Amino acid sequence: MRLIVSSFLVFMMATSLLASDALLQNNYLRKGLTLNGKWNYIVDVYETGYYNYRWEPHDGSTNPGSGAFFLNEKPQNKREIIEYDFDMAPTLLVPGDWNSQKEKLFYYEGTLWYKKSFDIENFEANKRYYLHFGAVNYRADVYVNGKKLGMHKGGFTPFNFEMTHLVNAEDNFVVVRVDNKRAADEVPTLNTDWWNYGGITRDVTVYELEQTFIEDYSLQLDKENNKLLNGYIQLNGDTKANAKVTVNIPELKLNKEFTTDANGHVKFSIPTKKLNLWSCDNPKLYDVSFASGDDIISDKIGFRQISTRGSDILLNDEVVFLKGICIHEENAMRGGRTYSMEDAVTHLNWAKELGCNFVRLAHYPHNENMVRLADEMGMLVWEESPVYWTIQWENPETYKKAEQQLTEVVYRDKNRASVIIWSMANETPQSEPRLEFLSNLAKKTRSLDDTRLVSAALEVHSTVPGGNTMVIDDQFADVVDILSFNQYYGWYWGDIENIKNLKWEIDIDKPVVISEFGAGALQGYHGDSLTAWSEEFQELLYEKTLPVLNAIPQISGITPWIISDFRSPRRVLIPYQDGWNRKGLISETGNKKKAFYTLQNFYKNINK
């Protein structure tokens, strides 16, 4: 029994270090101190700054010694030896990945330490201070003024830590150990088809908050009653219980006051009569403010309903066809991870130029810039968990990591009208453990947010080898709201001239969205229409495939793969790939391929 208890305590202690603080809602529009800019960095291939020579973590020791990089120590006399110096080290831009900034780090996967010094102007000792990261890939150990705040895993979701007890008005420093090594039990796992960009890839911000502040809130249109707003507010602080909170929407002349319960939480419903619903053609956003004492948060929120009826997708009770495109979070022209609003503008303007009203953000949560801009542009969005290909379905710790990352993106984007689909996974092989894993993720997602649709990118196969009848033989199809699948007939298998003979046998009365199809093409390489890697071949595949997919009786949307070429270590064929997945409709130089105009013309003339 003693051994069991001791092991349990060790597990609980380890688990507590994994968790960041509850996620701050709407950090995007909160006023904060940005730590973006140049950070000093040290590459630590052997993880010398994290482990001592007995391979024990320095931050687990009561006396870590000067070899611990997070202490940021300096020699106290001319005899003392400290074998690192952040202030003499080179710099990287944050946000940004290290691979695209330094040629020597292009292929690097491992540990790299970042350090940034900062002061807090108008520091007030009676305020609370949080350090927020938009994303760090993949593991982040965060230290402030030599003390550990905590650790976070997951390369595409936000996290934050309170550091009130550690910061001062001046001479603060933050050190972040970033480790992007792939591992079999992580999410995603070892094998993916995109570049494993390492680094602090999104904004870093210090927030000054009241002693009791609004930690979280939600405000959405009721999924059945379009004249009812549902929401909640969660306070954090010593005076959170029985506190007055208000919701104010000036344009609707709506100002409501509520009282929190003993846990600082209040759930509410607000009737409204003259609501201007958000849609693709009318992306109406209301200025909304939430207040508790001196803490006031402003947001821009659109109100809409999304649902299904048989094989139709309904936006505000009207049938909508999803004219889409897939997007990776990569600036093809820069060859690195996207991080700015300008990057988001480029991607969504390309989608608009194609004639899209819908984008699939693959294969992980993208920067918040994307969904914020989609709100403004009237672009519908599919957001995806990085449960990709084959992961450890029977490992409970792997499931926890997947659920955590999915929870973090749902928390972040639950108030975004543009987001209509939460995707659980992409191209995962069937098994009972996988079905249980994904079903549990779907159940968790619906418990967090039942106002949106659940899907996953599944796979298809023919009823007989080489046959023309395609089926979706997947039990997870019974769980999802939207039946989505990837198909690459004419590229990875099958004769492109036979595409016209394909038929899909789908006996489930649900909307069907084709989540991927496409072919690789090197922009500027031309040949006849049957020459692989030519723009003409990609163009022909689009011309043959689009009308066949459009003829599926339950078809409600299409998102071809993909808006632009992106880096992938799997793609090694020279001269056509050379480290790039070439299925993009736009090259890494920003030039459009012929298939871009084929899809554009299809969306322009589609009768849906």
Side-chain angles (χ1 to χ4, degrees), residues 42 69 167 175 198 203 208 219 240 277 281 328 332 359 444 469 498 500 557 561 575 601-602:
I42 297 173
F69 286 7
V167 292
V175 173
D203 297 332
E208 180 186 272
L219 188 63
K240 65 184 180 182
L277 298 185
D281 296 326
H328 253 303
V359 291
K444 177 65 175 180
T469 302
N498 190 54
K500 63 181 179 294
W561 188 261
N601 186 62
F602 174 78

Side-chain angles (χ1 to χ4, degrees), residues 394-518:
E394 299 182 71
N395 186 337
E397 293 305 308
T398 299
Y399 176 79
K400 287 180 183 178
K401 294 165 188 173
E403 185 180 274
Q404 168 210 314
Q405 293 179 52
L406 188 57
T407 298
E408 286 167 344
V409 72
V410 171
Y411 271 28
R412 189 192 74 179
D413 293 340
K414 60 182 174 290
N415 293 310
R416 305 281 68 82
S418 55
V419 179
I420 62 167
I421 296 173
W422 302 119
S423 173
M424 303 298 98
N426 177 78
E427 292 183 347
T428 51
Q430 296 186 52
S431 68
E432 281 301 318
R434 170 261 196 185
L435 178 62
E436 181 180 4
F437 188 109
L438 296 187
S439 297
N440 287 337
L441 275 185
K443 182 179 180 180
K444 177 65 175 180
T445 302
R446 290 179 170 125
S447 74
L448 295 171
D449 175 23
D450 66 353
T451 68
R452 292 176 172 86
L453 307 174
V454 167
S455 191
L458 307 179
E459 296 179 302
V460 298
H461 62 86
S462 57
T463 53
V464 296
N468 292 332
T469 302
M470 313 298 289
V471 295
I472 304 167
D473 184 17
D474 192 327
Q475 287 181 273
F476 194 59
D478 296 327
V479 177
V480 297
D481 302 305
I482 303 282
L483 190 56
S484 303
F485 58 87
N486 302 346
Q487 76 86 30
Y488 282 97
Y489 195 97
W491 181 247
Y492 289 123
W493 72 89
D495 183 353
I496 193 170
E497 295 294 344
N498 190 54
I499 291 176
K500 63 181 179 294
N501 297 318
L502 297 183
K503 296 187 183 302
W504 276 264
E505 195 173 90
I506 301 172
D507 58 2
I508 301 176
D509 190 22
K510 293 182 179 182
V512 169
V513 172
I514 310 303
S515 38
E516 290 181 29
F517 83 87

Side-chain angles (χ1 to χ4, degrees), residues 276-331:
N276 190 353
L277 298 185
W278 184 98
S279 69
C280 300
D281 296 326
N282 178 48
K284 172 63 179 177
L285 301 176
Y286 285 94
D287 291 320
V288 182
S289 65
F290 303 86
S292 175
D294 293 330
D295 190 35
I296 302 174
I297 298 180
S298 297
D299 203 347
K300 292 181 177 295
I301 302 178
F303 303 110
R304 56 97 189 98
Q305 294 172 319
I306 192 74
S307 61
T308 65
R309 183 174 59 214
S311 61
D312 289 330
I313 299 173
L314 306 178
L315 177 63
N316 300 326
D317 209 33
E318 294 184 2
V319 176
V320 60
F321 185 84
L322 304 179
K323 297 182 286 186
I325 191 70
C326 293
I327 299 175
H328 253 303
E329 192 180 51
E330 182 168 333
N331 183 320

